[in-house]
């Protein structure tokens, strides 16, 4: 009994601490995006490109425009390269360049100028860099830049240089970087990037253009798949959320963790079907008004099937769960991000953030989530996006959402946000 009381107090304390964060971020904030791969990976750079006033401020700074011209020259010089490693060796942001830009942004920042207003009205409310919440707005701007620079460099390292990502089996480059023909691909990539950003005065555009193009030619637009969900696959469920009497339910939602098939021809795995049945049974028992199915186009490598979409089809067509009760999350590639991305949807869709959600999966999977996934989250995400509640049964576990889930992951460009 004492243990249960201690656990409850711990959960309440954690939720209370989030109140100061809610004063900065806003669940009503709408992502500003013309290119979802750009916006979800590098939100600061995206915001700058969308603001004529901020762009004008930055391109009138000599030190920043020198960074831009240096990177254009680096792309131009790479056209003389003979081997693959040469093409990006001078293109990525150096530590010194990142420091120079950070210093200039700090000096240009004024709370009431265009840059300051961007931080106040967009950068902070978005929650995209929420791990910096305890810093001043000026410092949050600099940290956001440093994170975006890291992310841009990482995308080039993986999708141009061929560096192995954390999950190489599903996230690797599409090309054989040792093939004799590969330098020709990089030559064409450099040539196209040069034509698109020649004369650019915005300090990050040459490198950003190259990074986005590298992901594009690898077919890695996963971050943009099915977006915007709120206006598409989740539109009907979102309308239903607004009419829900939450006091009737113990949980805000039932999260079904994805399980990709083992081959390119199978749309939904046997494990995925079984997990759907587990989730549907709990939905019909009245545990929660919604089911969240989570899983992107991850397993196997370069699959054409999205786990969440196929699970929703199975729930609706085979198990007769109402379509308006199923929310899809179409980007997650791992269990850590199944949970993180579900928390993001709960937050942005206005579902009760002080309620637990029930997480459903295979018995051993639920046990690993409860016992050891937090350590994995720290390693891969740098934070834990949930607090563990009670074990409901062999196949279900209570999790409480935490707002740190809004943070962008700069080293997972296929599912950053």
């Amino acid at each position: 009994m004492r243990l249960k009381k201690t656990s409850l107090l711990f959960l309440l304390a954690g939720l209370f601490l989030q109140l100061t964060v809610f004063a900065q971020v806003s669940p009503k904030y709408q992502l500003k995006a013309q290119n979802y791969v750009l916006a979800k990976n590098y939100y600061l750079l995206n915001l700058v490109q969308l603001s004529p006033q901020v762009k004008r401020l930055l391109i009138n700074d000599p030190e920043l425009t020198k960074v831009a011209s240096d990177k254009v020259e680096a792309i131009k010089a790479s056209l003389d390269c003979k081997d693959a490693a040469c093409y990006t060796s001078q293109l990525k942001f150096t530590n010194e360049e990142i420091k120079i830009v950070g210093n200039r942004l700090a000096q240009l920042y004024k709370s009431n100028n265009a840059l300051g207003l961007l931080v106040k009205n967009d950068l902070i409310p978005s929650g995209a860099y929420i791990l910096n919440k305890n810093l001043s707005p000026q410092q949050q701007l600099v940290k956001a830049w440093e994170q975006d620079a890291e992310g841009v460099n990482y995308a080039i390292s993986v999708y141009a240089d061929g560096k192995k990502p954390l999950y190489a089996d599903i996230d690797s480059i599409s090309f054989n970087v040792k093939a004799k023909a590969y330098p020709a691909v990089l030559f064409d990539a450099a040539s196209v990037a040069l034509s698109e950003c020649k004369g650019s005065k915005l300090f990050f555009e040459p490198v950003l253009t190259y990074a986005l193009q590298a992901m594009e030619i690898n077919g890695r637009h996963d971050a943009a798949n099915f977006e915007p969900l709120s206006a598409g696959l989740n539109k009907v469920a979102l309308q239903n959320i607004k009419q829900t009497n939450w006091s009737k339910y113990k949980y805000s939602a039932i999260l079904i963790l994805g399980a990709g098939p083992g081959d390119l021809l199978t749309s939904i795995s046997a494990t995925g079907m079984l997990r759907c049945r587990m989730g549907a049974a709990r939905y019909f028992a009245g545990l929660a008004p919604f089911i969240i199915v989570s899983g992107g186009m991850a397993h196997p490598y370069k699959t054409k099937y999205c786990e969440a979409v196929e699970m929703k089809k199975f729930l609706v067509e085979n198990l007769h769960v109402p379509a308006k009760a199923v929310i899809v999350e179409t980007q997650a590639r791992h269990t850590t991000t199944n949970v993180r991305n579900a928390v993001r949807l709960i937050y942005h869709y206005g579902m009760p953030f002080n309620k637990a959600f029930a997480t459903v999966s295979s018995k051993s999977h639920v046990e690993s989530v409860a016992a050891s996934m937090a350590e994995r989250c720290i390693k891969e995400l740098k934070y834990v996006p949930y607090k563990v509640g009670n074990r409901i049964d062999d196949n279900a576990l209570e999790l409480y959402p935490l707002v740190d889930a809004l943070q962008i992951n700069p080293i997972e460009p296929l599912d950053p946000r």
Side-chain angles (χ1 to χ4, degrees):
M1 183 70 176
R2 180 177 294 179
L3 181 61
K4 283 189 175 181
K5 285 183 177 178
T6 303
S7 298
L8 179 60
L9 288 172
F10 178 69
L11 289 168
L12 290 173
L15 294 172
F16 177 77
L17 287 174
Q18 292 192 79
L19 292 177
T20 56
V21 177
F22 280 126
Q24 299 182 65
V25 300
S26 171
K28 295 181 180 180
Y29 182 83
Q30 297 292 315
L31 181 78
K32 294 182 178 179
Q34 293 179 352
N35 177 333
Y36 276 93
V37 174
L38 165 60
K40 292 175 74 173
N41 273 285
Y42 321 114
Y43 198 50
L44 171 61
L45 306 188
N46 170 75
L47 290 172
V48 171
Q49 284 196 330
L50 295 177
S51 172
Q53 296 84 2
V54 175
K55 285 172 67 174
R56 192 178 308 117
L57 178 67
L58 300 181
I59 64 176
N60 284 327
D61 185 85
E63 288 188 61
L64 293 180
T65 54
K66 184 179 184 305
V67 174
S69 62
D70 286 348
K71 291 310 180 185
V72 170
E73 288 302 314
I75 298 175
K76 190 182 298 183
S78 73
L79 297 176
D80 294 325
C81 288
K82 303 301 180 186
D83 63 274
C86 168
Y87 277 92
T88 63
S89 60
Q90 301 300 315
L91 178 60
K92 285 172 278 189
F93 292 113
T94 66
N95 290 336
E96 182 62 23
E97 287 168 335
I98 293 172
K99 184 178 179 181
I100 288 170
V101 171
N103 288 338
R104 290 307 302 148
L105 290 176
Q107 291 175 36
L108 290 169
Y109 171 89
K110 298 289 184 293
S111 61
N112 59 350
N113 71 0
L115 193 56
L117 293 175
L118 179 146
V119 173
K120 177 184 177 181
N121 297 330
D122 289 292
L123 191 76
I124 292 175
S126 75
Y129 307 91
I130 197 169
L131 295 188
N132 303 320
K133 57 185 175 286
N134 294 325
L135 301 178
S136 70
Q138 180 192 51
Q139 291 171 321
Q140 290 191 53
L141 170 64
V142 174
K143 287 295 184 182
W145 151 246
E146 291 173 352
Q147 178 179 305
D148 282 8
E150 176 194 0
V152 168
N153 282 352
Y154 182 84
I156 294 172
S157 293
V158 173
Y159 295 113
D161 297 341
K163 173 186 174 181
K164 281 192 174 183
L166 186 61
Y167 291 91
D169 289 348
I170 57 173
D171 295 341
S172 293
I173 192 171
S174 303
F175 301 93
N176 177 359
V177 297
K178 296 181 179 178
K180 289 183 178 180
Y182 188 58
V185 174
L186 293 181
F187 177 92
D188 289 344
S191 179
V192 171
L194 182 62
S195 68
E196 291 184 2
C197 59
K198 192 174 183 179
S200 174
K201 294 183 178 181
L202 198 53
F203 66 90
F204 59 80
E205 273 190 341
V207 188
L208 176 64
T209 298
Y210 194 97
L212 292 173
Q213 181 179 270
M215 285 191 278
E216 181 181 67
I217 65 175
N218 277 273
R220 292 305 196 174
H221 45 68
D222 298 66
N225 286 346
F226 306 103
E227 291 287 8
L229 286 172
S230 60
L233 293 179
N234 288 337
K235 183 177 180 180
V236 174
L238 189 53
Q239 292 170 344
N240 193 24
I241 285 171
K242 297 173 183 177
Q243 302 168 6
T244 300
N245 181 357
W246 297 101
S247 64
K248 293 171 58 178
Y249 303 94
K250 185 172 183 180
Y251 302 110
S252 61
I254 297 162
L255 169 62
I256 303 175
L257 303 177
D263 64 83
L264 290 168
L265 299 178
T266 302
S267 60
I268 182 171
S269 68
T271 302
M273 294 180 199
L274 290 171
R275 291 180 185 176
C276 283
R277 288 189 174 276
M278 294 172 192
R282 287 158 179 78
Y283 168 79
F284 287 120
L287 261 67
F290 295 95
I291 292 175
I292 300 174
V293 283
S294 175
M297 299 169 72
H299 298 276
Y301 179 75
K302 289 296 186 80
T303 181
K304 300 298 181 184
Y305 293 106
C306 174
E307 292 172 23
V309 170
E310 299 306 319
M311 285 194 290
K312 179 177 180 179
K313 286 181 185 177
F314 188 81
L315 284 166
V316 173
E317 296 174 8
N318 294 58
L319 306 182
H320 310 296
V321 175
K324 68 179 182 179
V326 183
I327 299 167
V328 297
E329 185 291 301
T330 57
Q331 267 79 40
R333 307 179 71 75
H334 321 290
T335 306
T336 53
T337 50
N338 286 141
V339 175
R340 180 200 67 185
N341 294 1
V343 171
R344 291 172 174 178
L345 291 181
I346 289 169
Y347 179 81
H348 285 300
Y349 287 0
M351 302 167 76
F353 213 69
N354 58 348
K355 270 185 182 286
F357 57 96
T359 300
V360 172
S361 190
S362 314
K363 180 181 179 182
S364 60
H365 199 191
V366 169
E367 287 172 349
S368 71
V369 171
S372 61
M373 195 172 80
E375 183 179 348
R376 185 177 159 198
C377 285
I378 293 294
K379 179 182 177 183
E380 298 177 12
L381 307 177
K382 309 302 181 190
Y383 62 89
V384 181
Y386 61 87
K387 285 189 181 294
V388 176
N390 295 319
R391 186 71 176 266
I392 301 170
D393 54 50
D394 282 347
N395 297 104
L397 171 72
E398 289 180 349
L399 294 179
Y400 287 83
L402 295 179
V403 75
D404 281 356
L406 301 179
Q407 172 71 33
I408 290 175
N409 184 356
I411 59 169
E412 189 162 17
L414 309 188
D415 179 27
R417 185 176 187 218

